[in-house]
Amino acid sequence: MLATIASATLLGVEGRGVWVEVHVAKTGLPRFVMVGLPDAACRESRDRIRAAVINAGLRFSGSEVVTVNLAPSGLRKSGSALDLPIAVAYLVASGQLKASAVESVGLLGELGLDGTVRGVRGALPLVEATQAMRVVVPAENAAEAQLSNREVLVGTNLADVVSALSGDRFWPDPPDLVVSPVAPGPDLSEVRGHRLARKALEVAAGGGHHLLMLGPPGSGKTMLAQRSVGLLPPLDDVRGAEVIRVHSAAGSLFGLGAADSGPAGVGPLRCDAAGELVVTAPFRAPHHTATVVSLVGGGSSQMRPGEVSLAHGGVLFLDELAEFPAHALDALRQPLEDGSIRVSRAHASVSFPARCLLIAAMNPCPCGAGTPERCRCSEPALRRYARRISGPLLDRFDLRVRVEAMAPEDLVDAPPGETSAAVAERVAQARGAARRRGVSANRELSLAELEDHTRLTPEARAVLDSALRSGRLSGRGMARVRAVALTLRDLDGADGTLDAPTMQVALGLRAEVGVALAAVA
Ligand SMILES: [Zn+2]
């Protein structure tokens, strides 16, 4: 007998509808065959299903020919979310459950050997891709599944799912959707002094320009970086939905697998004062011991997004940049450039969104003294340190500023800085100007578009030419300074004519990065 059930599989952060077909024949050589491009985790489901069915008090005869077909056959099926639909389809095909019980019901979930229905990553995109109006999901995923427009049925274990499908018992109530309210983040007004670094932060947010801060330990780099995300404009619906899908695919939206979603694994979903759901821009700060896979995404079985994707729509903060392994930083270059990352393994290749603002911080040298006079580092040690940050990576930072430790008396005397809200208004204005140029931030403008949208006064051109002649700027660097200058104009609400003073400020935000890094700047 043949049974067909709707389900889905995860491809990157997108769900793809899958039809699970199970055929059971009583005659022939007993076996359990699965076809339709299942991956390793998916193939192993045979053993989980057999144990789960038996432990649920149902029958799994070893003498049948069971054929499982996962359609469409050309689509690779990954992970364990197909366990539950395969098990239920088997029960229908083997005559233990009426076919009418599964009509217009989709199912998703991993099975434990004891029949428990376990949560899966990507529940929201999976539910949305399932071609059924009612979908049975694991209890762990029920909150997240309610963000879809489907009727959510909660499955806790196989035996209960089977009795509820047969109408012998009620489905458990789905849990209430509990989302923390939007909390005000740390405010820029708490940062005293640091005029240049504050400016750099504003330009970074306004133009999407990646920022590198150099300064000794305790100079306030982390404090500044943490305030960057509060300057970004609210996410629009499209970007917000992308952010939600990424966090769902990582299992971090409602804490599933929170242990492996990184130290800053807090979901981006919040509710506002009116109780409406809002998606906040994420701030991710992976430690320098993070693996390449956890930074850029991948994994041996089911591919999951990395930190650069979890920061999509928000900020990726890399503290102690020079301590990250060189190959990890190299792997970040392409996604930072393209706004997405393609992760390939022998059997498959998926793409994750990765449009984030990169803010990095590092000590100017290994001893962290900050100034050449106080530095105790040897010449070779400085050279080794400088080599950690490759030229091409350094090139991704349009903004490079030094953050000096402030004297205690300066901290006390300095007036409180401008609030995040005041700066965010200018940032929103600059982003609006960028949108009118057809990009979401000025950093994305090509050289030709920059030429189109900026006019240089003769004095401004002279400033650039002199920086070029003195070797301070490369040709590429010149274009980047121009983009930063345009952002400065946008933040001021001025037109795109770049004058000499603006150009000087832009150049000042691309400082030669001091003691050790001058050699590679
Ligand atoms: Zn030093």
Side-chain angles (χ1 to χ4, degrees):
M1 191 182 161
L2 178 73
T4 304
I5 286 182
S7 190
T9 191
L10 201 61
L11 197 69
V13 301
E14 310 284 344
R16 292 280 190 275
V18 169
W19 289 100
V20 174
E21 299 170 344
V22 176
H23 181 258
V24 174
K26 302 281 182 203
T27 54
L29 205 59
R31 62 204 156 113
F32 189 114
V33 196
M34 196 181 297
V35 294
L37 281 183
D39 74 353
C42 200
R43 273 196 306 273
E44 287 164 2
S45 68
R46 177 179 47 187
D47 303 319
R48 289 190 297 270
I49 289 165
R50 193 197 320 257
V53 166
I54 292 167
N55 288 320
L58 296 152
R59 183 169 41 80
F60 194 100
S61 156
S63 62
E64 298 158 331
V65 183
V66 180
T67 311
V68 178
N69 179 40
L70 306 172
S73 59
L75 173 71
R76 182 160 286 276
K77 325 297 182 305
S78 69
S80 49
L82 295 171
D83 284 8
L84 182 62
I86 295 172
V88 171
Y90 165 77
L91 294 171
V92 173
S94 61
Q96 302 179 68
L97 185 64
K98 283 203 204 69
S100 58
V102 293
E103 257 169 38
S104 71
V105 179
L107 292 113
L108 295 167
E110 178 179 326
L111 285 174
L113 299 183
D114 60 354
T116 308
V117 179
R118 294 194 179 134
V120 293
R121 286 200 301 273
L124 179 59
L126 286 174
V127 168
E128 285 177 334
T130 301
Q131 292 181 44
M133 280 323 290
R134 309 165 78 210
V135 183
V136 181
V137 302
E140 273 178 275
N141 295 133
E144 181 176 331
Q146 288 179 80
L147 298 173
S148 72
N149 59 356
R150 309 299 165 88
E151 184 185 344
V152 175
L153 306 172
V154 182
T156 48
N157 64 67
L158 182 59
D160 288 354
V161 168
V162 170
S163 353
L165 284 171
S166 329
D168 295 339
R169 59 179 291 152
F170 292 112
W171 292 101
D173 284 332
D176 288 334
L177 193 59
V178 181
V179 177
S180 327
V182 178
D187 200 279
L188 207 53
S189 61
E190 296 152 3
V191 180
R192 288 170 189 258
H194 290 309
R195 201 188 50 81
L196 184 68
R198 291 173 60 102
K199 186 74 176 174
L201 218 51
E202 176 176 339
V203 176
H209 305 286
H210 302 320
L211 164 65
L212 174 62
M213 291 185 282
L214 286 127
S219 53
K221 305 186 294 290
T222 302
M223 192 172 161
L224 283 156
Q226 284 165 342
R227 281 150 181 82
S228 59
V229 74
L231 305 180
L232 295 176
L235 299 172
D236 62 27
D237 290 350
V238 173
R239 191 55 57 86
E242 290 168 357
V243 169
I244 289 297
R245 276 203 298 277
V246 172
H247 285 259
S248 173
S252 60
L253 197 52
F254 281 90
L256 178 76
D260 54 20
S261 66
V266 177
L269 200 62
R270 295 282 181 280
C271 65
D272 64 13
E276 294 289 321
L277 289 175
V278 289
V279 185
T280 53
F283 178 82
R284 304 290 298 189
H287 192 255
H288 58 73
T289 54
T291 63
V292 176
V293 165
S294 76
L295 282 175
V296 301
S300 50
S301 58
Q302 198 174 16
M303 288 199 253
R304 58 173 88 180
E307 291 291 337
V308 70
S309 295
L310 290 165
H312 180 64
V315 173
L316 178 66
F317 176 47
L318 302 182
D319 198 5
E320 308 284 6
L321 185 70
E323 302 298 324
F324 281 82
H327 62 285
L329 296 180
D330 283 341
L332 280 174
R333 266 165 40 201
Q334 175 263 324
L336 289 174
E337 199 61 27
D338 300 346
S340 71
I341 180 162
R342 180 155 280 281
V343 184
S344 299
R345 290 290 171 275
H347 53 78
S349 155
V350 297
S351 174
F352 295 113
R355 196 168 292 286
C356 61
L357 178 62
L358 173 64
I359 298 191
M362 64 188 287
N363 292 327
C365 67
C367 82
T371 59
E373 304 79 57
R374 294 214 305 272
C375 178
R376 300 183 306 276
C377 302
S378 67
E379 193 65 30
L382 284 176
R383 240 185 275 284
R384 261 199 315 279
Y385 191 69
R387 272 202 302 271
R388 293 249 182 105
I389 311 297
S390 71
L393 177 68
L394 200 58
D395 229 26
R396 298 291 177 275
F397 293 101
D398 288 355
L399 304 166
R400 308 158 192 179
V401 294
R402 300 206 55 142
V403 181
E404 307 299 345
M406 292 192 48
E409 59 273 21
D410 290 345
L411 279 177
V412 174
D413 294 343
E418 211 177 0
T419 63
S420 290
V423 178
E425 252 177 62
R426 290 195 297 274
V427 167
Q429 171 180 290
R431 292 288 181 130
R435 268 199 304 280
R436 287 192 289 282
R437 296 177 192 120
V439 291
S440 71
N442 286 344
R443 192 187 74 84
E444 297 157 25
L445 290 170
S446 68
L447 191 55
E449 288 167 328
L450 267 176
E451 297 273 354
D452 268 359
H453 295 295
T454 57
R455 287 190 308 283
L456 272 68
T457 64
E459 295 78 15
R461 187 163 291 284
V463 170
L464 274 186
D465 285 348
S466 117
L468 199 60
R469 268 199 308 278
S470 69
R472 235 197 103 180
L473 273 185
S474 62
R476 182 188 150 88
M478 197 161 87
R480 303 320 301 155
V481 168
R482 208 163 152 161
V484 167
L486 182 61
T487 300
L488 285 165
R489 298 289 289 165
D490 289 344
L491 288 164
D492 287 343
D495 69 14
T497 309
L498 307 183
D499 56 15
T502 309
M503 210 53 96
Q504 294 286 11
V505 176
L507 270 176
L509 290 169
R510 194 187 175 85
E512 291 184 64
V513 280
V515 186
L517 296 174
V520 291

